[in-house]
Amino acid sequence: MKDSFLSFGSPDLIGSAARSAVIIAFLVFIGLCLLWVFTLATDDDPERLYVAEQSLPPVFNGVAMAGEQITVVILVSLPGAIALFGYDGVSTAVDSALALGVFLLLASRIRATRRYTLGDLFSLRAEGPGTRIAGAVVTLCIAVPLLMVQLRAGGITAALLIGMPTETAQVVCTVLMGFLITCFAAVADLRGTGFVQVAKVPVALATLAAVILLALRRFDWSPESLLSAAVDKSMSPDDYLSPGLWAHTAGFGPLGTISDHIVVILGTAMMPHLLLRVSAGRDMPAARRSLSVAVGLTGLFYLLLITAGLAAAAVVGSGQIRAVDAKGQGAPILLASEVLPHQSTSRVVLITLVPCVAFLAVLTAVASVTFAAAVSVTRDLIVQRGRFRNAIGEPAVMRLSVVALCAVGLILTTALHRYPIEFLFAFSLSVAASCVFPALVYSFLWPGFNRRGLLWLVYGGLSLCILLTLTSPVVSGTKYALLPGQDFNLFPLHAPGLVSVPAAFLLGWLGSARPWERTARNARTVFREAGDQGHALTADPGAPRAGIGTDRDGVTGV
């Protein structure tokens, strides 16, 4: 069992005089968001509900796709990781930005199939209920851990905002935000969530830019001075701009870094909600244009996050950030509280804006993940049987699936609130990188890929992710593990991608090609031909033998 996510001695960022105004403004913002969402609700046919009849404009869909990358985990974790760990945090941000470039390679092919769940895409080479079940299982294994981490981060951010970072306050805030987000996810469709995503992107970018400019002003608008201050006020000035400062690093240093890069890049690119979003484009050129818009906005977002992390280290200091939270996830609010004078109204407005952006990030991220998972459960599991669809209709089945998934995620999050479950985010990325990416590559590029290969790849990759994660340093054997008092740490890497991704490709090839059957078949053919030839020689002793001929006069010769 671990300490709470934030330290009980966290500083009062707002002050008692301004706290009421900040909380009221935050609650009004939440209420306006929910009212707007309910005006976007629709209950039309499934195609309109799931992918907006594949008619979204490319720019709109591209901005919404960029919004899918602005999650609360990224928003509060990356600046803190950069403030505390320097180069290692920056490399993680770069990996996340590169993910859309990887997705761009497959986006046109995905849109051309006109399919939008993993079960649909897995059925490209292998129709049948087994492949659809595999798609739904993988989707749930990606979505449920993501829901837990997002809800936890949102609740803790709200607890920090009201100046009550105790376990009870964190749980209460998590439950309340979970209920609000469930209401949103239960009524929204893809177009509705797209509108909220589009609204979130400029708000998030503008807030980050404002905080960064105010931080730069303290250093006479000199980025070089800001970077020097970040290095000087870091926990390890000599190593801040070099790899290896990340506190969770285990053995096999370079291999562990490669594994982390594989998981972040491939996993982020293969999220089910991102696949659903690209399928809503009008056609393949529109999908490519949407990806171009998304890549540009996402690159700008991560550039601002990197700068915000360095500004947090320069203005606040790594020591104070670590005192509030060992993983640095309070860095954005700490930075916003320090860039303006403590008695100014502008400071209160800025501190209010940061949690509002965080709430939008939680709202949209949880809704998108839950929506994609519910669509998969509805189409790939329930609708295939036809019972509930015929009784209450497919849209109603999807809405009930959303509520059920949110309830499961909320129950698990509150039940595990004492434990460090942040590793579940990396687990979700590992499953996406190991199960989704190899399956789509084979489905699009290898005609010989079949049902057996798909099932071997998916379930083999999933089993490896679970097994290697359970025996890795994130679960036991280290100070930051889920169970620090236990030690069954057999796998030295924190992320299984270095092993699970190549193994999944190998399993897909073995299951489809079955080279051992070809070898056995060739051996049987050789044996049969040899047997047939021996049988012919025994049955007709007077027949000419190999290398012996008979001329017209009956004289034999070689």
Side-chain angles (χ1 to χ4, degrees):
M1 190 174 296
K2 295 284 290 181
D3 296 333
S4 63
F5 188 80
L6 296 173
S7 304
F8 292 121
S10 298
D12 186 356
L13 303 180
I14 305 171
S16 56
R19 181 178 291 109
S20 298
V22 171
I23 293 176
I24 291 173
F26 184 52
L27 293 176
V28 169
F29 177 79
I30 292 175
L32 292 175
C33 287
L34 292 176
L35 285 175
W36 182 40
V37 166
F38 276 94
T39 65
L40 302 174
T42 183
D43 196 17
D44 295 319
D45 62 278
E47 289 294 318
R48 182 178 179 85
L49 180 65
Y50 299 155
V51 287
E53 294 180 331
Q54 296 183 325
S55 61
L56 293 182
V59 175
F60 175 91
N61 203 32
V63 177
M65 207 175 295
E68 300 283 5
Q69 308 298 311
I70 305 177
T71 66
V72 67
V73 174
I74 298 297
L75 193 63
V76 302
S77 296
L78 270 182
I82 294 167
L84 294 180
F85 310 122
Y87 177 91
D88 292 333
V90 173
S91 66
T92 302
V94 173
D95 289 344
S96 301
L98 292 176
L100 277 182
V102 174
F103 185 63
L104 184 61
L105 301 176
L106 297 176
S108 297
R109 295 177 182 271
I110 293 171
R111 177 58 186 84
T113 64
R114 304 185 68 85
R115 305 183 182 206
Y116 43 83
T117 67
L118 287 183
D120 285 337
L121 292 170
F122 286 175
S123 299
L124 285 171
R125 299 286 182 190
E127 288 288 349
T131 55
R132 290 189 172 274
I133 292 173
V137 168
V138 170
T139 301
L140 290 176
C141 289
I142 295 172
V144 174
L146 281 180
L147 290 179
M148 296 172 61
V149 177
Q150 300 280 359
L151 288 171
R152 178 185 176 90
I156 290 169
T157 302
L160 181 61
L161 170 69
I162 62 177
M164 299 176 61
T166 63
E167 287 186 0
T168 302
Q170 292 171 17
V171 173
V172 170
C173 290
T174 299
V175 171
L176 291 177
M177 293 191 73
F179 278 123
L180 292 174
I181 293 168
T182 301
C183 294
F184 168 46
V187 301
D189 60 355
L190 190 74
R191 187 184 296 273
T193 57
F195 276 110
V196 183
Q197 297 279 19
V198 169
K200 176 183 70 176
V201 171
V203 172
L205 295 180
T207 302
L208 284 173
V211 173
I212 291 168
L213 290 175
L214 290 171
L216 276 172
R217 188 180 65 172
R218 298 185 56 159
F219 296 94
D220 297 326
W221 307 102
S222 172
E224 184 179 356
S225 299
L226 186 146
L227 180 60
S228 298
V231 173
D232 294 338
K233 298 179 71 173
S234 67
M235 301 294 291
S236 180
D238 294 334
D239 301 323
Y240 187 73
L241 298 180
S242 302
L245 193 59
W246 177 245
H248 304 261
T249 302
F252 293 80
L255 293 180
T257 302
I258 294 172
S259 185
D260 292 340
H261 290 327
I262 291 174
V263 164
V264 174
I265 294 175
L266 299 184
T268 305
M270 295 292 109
M271 289 286 105
H273 52 281
L274 195 58
L275 301 177
L276 195 67
R277 177 67 61 184
V278 77
S279 299
R282 293 172 176 172
D283 47 32
M284 286 186 288
R288 286 192 293 268
R289 186 179 177 190
S290 296
L291 258 296
S292 300
V293 173
V295 167
L297 290 175
T298 302
L300 176 60
F301 169 67
Y302 281 109
L303 179 62
L304 292 175
L305 277 187
I306 292 171
T307 310
L310 296 174
V315 174
V316 182
S318 298
Q320 185 176 345
I321 293 172
R322 186 186 291 272
V324 175
D325 170 27
K327 297 178 181 177
Q329 299 193 28
I333 296 181
L334 289 170
L335 175 61
S337 69
E338 294 293 334
V339 293
L340 288 171
H342 280 234
Q343 303 302 322
S344 65
T345 304
S346 302
R347 176 178 179 270
V348 175
V349 172
L350 189 61
I351 294 177
T352 307
L353 276 177
V354 173
C356 286
V357 173
F359 173 75
L360 270 180
V362 177
L363 184 72
T364 52
V366 172
S368 295
V369 172
T370 310
F371 187 82
V375 171
S376 179
V377 169
T378 303
R379 285 184 58 85
D380 298 331
L381 292 181
I382 299 176
V383 171
Q384 295 299 315
R385 299 179 180 274
R387 298 175 183 175
F388 294 101
R389 178 185 60 179
N390 296 332
I392 61 176
E394 189 172 334
V397 172
M398 201 279 297
R399 305 290 189 195
L400 292 175
S401 299
V402 168
V403 175
L405 287 169
C406 284
V408 169
L410 190 57
I411 291 171
L412 291 175
T413 304
T414 54
L416 299 174
H417 71 278
R418 290 176 176 265
Y419 295 88
I421 60 171
E422 289 74 30
F423 75 93
L424 292 177
F425 184 74
F427 173 77
S428 293
L429 296 180
S430 300
V431 173
S434 304
C435 300
V436 182
F437 180 74
L440 293 186
V441 169
Y442 273 153
S443 296
F444 291 135
L445 303 179
W446 184 25
F449 190 52
N450 57 26
R451 181 179 182 274
R452 184 195 298 266
L454 174 75
L455 296 181
W456 282 28
L457 184 156
V458 170
Y459 289 119
L462 179 60
S463 300
L464 277 174
C465 287
I466 295 173
L467 178 62
L468 296 179
T469 299
L470 289 177
T471 57
S472 71
V474 300
V475 175
S476 70
T478 62
K479 177 183 177 181
Y480 299 97
L482 177 67
L483 303 171
Q486 306 292 327
D487 190 359
F488 42 89
N489 175 14
L490 302 176
F491 182 67
L493 307 180
H494 285 87
L498 188 65
V499 175
S500 59
V501 173
F505 273 107
L506 178 61
L507 288 171
W509 175 76
L510 288 175
S512 299
R514 289 174 284 182
W516 61 90
E517 292 186 1
R518 185 182 309 164
T519 302
R521 186 164 52 249
N522 292 338
R524 287 196 299 269
T525 301
V526 171
F527 180 77
R528 188 184 305 113
E529 290 177 353
D532 292 344
Q533 187 177 39
H535 178 73
L537 292 174
T538 304
D540 187 7
R545 298 187 180 184
I548 299 177
T550 304
D551 59 17
R552 288 189 297 177
D553 297 328
V555 179
T556 59
V558 179

